[in-house]
Amino acid sequence: MQNTVDIKDVNSTHTIVVRNLTRDDYTAVSQMQLLAFPTMKPWSPDQWEKVTQTFPEGQIGIEVDGTLAASSCSLILNFDEFSQSHGWAAITGNGTLSTHNPNGDTLYGIEIMVAPAYRSMRLARRLYDERKQLVINRNLKRIVVGGRLPNYHLVADKLSVKAYVQQVIDKKMVDPVLTTQQSNDFKLKRIIRDYLPGDTESCGFATFMEWVNLDYQAPDISVRDISPYVRVCSIQYKMRMIQNFEEFAQHCEYFIDVAADYKSDFVVFPELFTMQLLSFLPNNRPGKAVRQLTQFTEQYIEFFSRMSIRYNTNIIAGSHLTVEEDDELYNISWLFRRDGTYGKQYKLHITPHEKKWWGVKEGKKVEVFDTDCGKIAINICYDIEFPEIARIATSKGANLIFVPFNTDERRAYNRVRYCAQARAIENQVYVVLSGCVGNLPQVDNLDIQYAQSAILTPSDVEFHREGVAAIAEPGAETLIYQDLDMHLLRMNRLQGNAQTWKDRRSNLYTIHYKEDGKEIVV
């Protein structure tokens, strides 16, 4: 977005440019914050990076004669999911926009400012008009803001905050923020306490203001659109001797069919379950044998793509060892969406066994996949034992983490299980485990499998006492399925007895990781 117009005042003509802000505007924005809000801490570089990456359309700047003179920042929410007495940190994900929901119905204004030298040019009105147009263009219901009261501290010893707000509304007093919001057709809904506890000018108070989009058209929605539930199905799959790929496909389709009968949104198979294809191939040394699996990759992709469409479900098709164009072997998990598209996650941490016997190479990126049921991530077996991976995925918006795993005995399984439970607790997400059982006596280095597949939740009063939504019988070929309440998950983050996602001390420690040539901080 970029709009340019020339305006005249008494002494000169100015060129005004309205555009979206980018990461390169950080220095100008932070300097403007120090001028506009001298008592408040400006954006950190990491926060600004996330703000401009997460919702670039909602970050608007105004240049006057080439100088950034005003800015506005916002995000989209389903506002009904948040507490009426919310604070700025909770509503913005502590300034990271981790709460942004592109499918929400409300634009939330998190900051608007004009540099002091430009406050006679009605730039704030331009920013509010841009926000309104954004809401109309995206067919959102409304704009809501938590408005500071920067002049309240001047009279706080004489007036209650309610009396002060009423005086401003009655035009008996002027407040730079509330007066401007009123003049831009925002209506007062309530007063919020402890909105910004460090805002001494406002004494921590804010006004909850709303502008309603009269052009809003409620979309036609289906039961899927209004339901907060996602049904997940985990396949505890038996490894057995087979004669060909078609026999493998028959076993898989049987379970997909059953999961579809239960109307599952997701079906997940275990790690390395395509290794049973080696049972009918010539016996070679381990490193050479597993590379033979690449010949089935096209059939594997075609089969699961067809299954996801035919049975109208999203399939995490375990993992499959594949030789890529660089002639290296990777352990890859594919997501096959029910619309026919697919994506893949490379295993990031390779076990000593995989390195020694097969020569598997590491992946390079934590993927988060958009689906018709929200954002998901895949942590392949060993990856769930490294807390940074799930933390990165959750920071990218994943609320569901699928863990295809393959373990040979109980202690190995326990590492996966207990770490998966920890990831569910510390990130306040759901984690779904799917493992193999059975034996492959003629496949070297994959002789036996032990699993007790499970669907895990955070550990809080909203969920099952054990943090387990469903769990399979160990050693049995079976499936488990469960409805997961995504609304309950979001409420747990906001109001849970433990708020481990929000309360992490990012001012004390952070995760630095590299992605697409850039260093990112979480």
Side-chain angles (χ1 to χ4, degrees), residues 399-414:
N399 290 312
L400 265 170
I401 299 178
F402 292 94
V403 183
F405 72 92
N406 190 299
T407 50
D408 57 352
E409 48 92 36
R410 178 75 188 217
R411 283 165 294 193
Y413 162 76
N414 284 343

Side-chain angles (χ1 to χ4, degrees), residues 96-109:
T96 65
L97 266 61
S98 61
T99 52
H100 174 69
N101 179 357
N103 298 314
D105 60 12
T106 299
L107 186 77
Y108 194 98

Side-chain angles (χ1 to χ4, degrees), residues 263-488:
K263 297 181 171 59
S264 298
D265 295 302
F266 291 96
V267 182
V268 56
F269 285 91
E271 179 192 27
L272 297 176
F273 78 134
T274 61
M275 287 285 283
Q276 67 181 148
L277 298 171
L278 294 178
S279 64
F280 62 82
L281 293 179
N283 193 14
N284 285 301
R285 59 179 176 81
K288 185 176 181 180
V290 295
R291 285 177 168 257
Q292 297 176 92
L293 292 174
T294 292
Q295 66 184 283
F296 298 105
T297 300
E298 289 187 11
Q299 284 177 273
Y300 166 91
I301 292 173
E302 187 279 330
F303 169 72
F304 282 106
S305 293
R306 179 161 42 86
M307 292 296 100
S308 63
I309 296 170
R310 178 177 178 180
Y311 289 98
N312 190 31
T313 188
N314 301 294
I315 302 172
I316 293 91
S319 79
H320 176 61
L321 292 172
T322 305
V323 177
E324 298 267 285
E325 293 179 358
D326 59 1
D327 199 37
E328 299 289 1
L329 182 70
Y330 297 94
N331 190 350
I332 305 173
S333 182
W334 269 266
L335 162 68
F336 296 91
R337 300 181 186 88
R338 53 180 146 208
D339 65 3
T341 62
Y342 63 86
K344 55 186 179 179
Q345 172 67 63
Y346 292 74
K347 190 172 185 178
L348 301 172
H349 296 87
I350 308 305
T351 65
H353 181 102
E354 289 173 289
K355 292 177 183 177
K356 177 181 178 181
W357 294 106
W358 302 332
V360 179
K361 298 299 181 182
E362 301 93 345
K364 297 180 180 178
K365 184 177 181 181
V366 178
E367 302 285 354
V368 168
F369 304 96
D370 288 310
T371 75
D372 55 0
C373 297
K375 293 181 182 293
I376 69 149
I378 303 171
N379 284 191
I380 306 172
C381 196
Y382 201 26
D383 286 339
I384 200 67
E385 298 179 33
F386 296 85
E388 299 86 355
I389 303 304
R391 174 65 63 165
I392 292 168
T394 309
S395 75
K396 292 182 174 185
N399 290 312
L400 265 170
I401 299 178
F402 292 94
V403 183
F405 72 92
N406 190 299
T407 50
D408 57 352
E409 48 92 36
R410 178 75 188 217
R411 283 165 294 193
Y413 162 76
N414 284 343
R415 290 195 296 270
V416 174
R417 164 71 184 278
Y418 296 148
C419 288
Q421 190 77 69
R423 303 299 86 83
I425 292 170
E426 65 201 17
N427 296 297
Q428 294 178 275
V429 297
Y430 296 119
V431 181
V432 182
L433 304 179
S434 173
C436 289
V437 296
N439 306 307
L440 285 176
Q442 291 181 235
V443 177
D444 289 340
N445 303 301
L446 202 71
D447 306 310
I448 58 173
Q449 284 81 38
Y450 177 93
Q452 188 174 21
S453 302
I455 301 170
L456 308 175
T457 74
S459 184
D460 210 336
V461 68
E462 298 93 339
F463 307 99
H464 188 278
R465 184 182 64 185
E466 303 300 328
V468 179
I471 192 164
E473 289 295 324
E477 183 172 40
T478 186
L479 63 77
I480 54 174
Y481 69 99
Q482 183 69 35
D483 283 339
L484 299 178
D485 188 340
M486 307 311 289
H487 177 71
L488 188 64

Side-chain angles (χ1 to χ4, degrees), residues 240-252:
R240 52 171 69 81
M241 304 295 289
I242 57 176
Q243 299 300 314
N244 48 48
F245 184 90
E246 289 70 27
E247 187 178 348
F248 164 76
Q250 288 172 3
H251 292 307
C252 293

Side-chain angles (χ1 to χ4, degrees), residues 28-64:
V29 169
S30 59
Q31 289 175 348
M32 183 163 44
Q33 283 179 310
L34 292 171
L35 293 172
F37 313 127
T39 64
M40 300 180 68
K41 185 179 179 180
W43 295 106
S44 71
D46 179 52
Q47 286 174 321
W48 187 248
E49 176 88 14
K50 289 184 171 67
V51 165
T52 52
Q53 282 187 348
T54 301
F55 183 38
E57 189 180 4
Q59 321 318 321
I60 303 166
I62 298 179
E63 289 182 354
V64 177

Side-chain angles (χ1 to χ4, degrees), residues 114-150:
V114 179
Y118 298 92
R119 286 179 178 169
S120 63
M121 300 179 66
R122 298 180 178 270
L123 299 183
R125 179 174 293 276
R126 287 176 180 267
L127 291 172
Y128 280 115
D129 286 345
E130 291 292 338
R131 280 182 176 175
K132 292 173 184 177
Q133 192 59 52
L134 176 59
V135 165
I136 293 169
N137 292 345
R138 294 185 68 112
N139 191 36
L140 303 179
K141 285 184 180 180
R142 57 188 174 175
I143 305 173
V144 296
V145 296
R148 298 178 61 239
L149 298 166

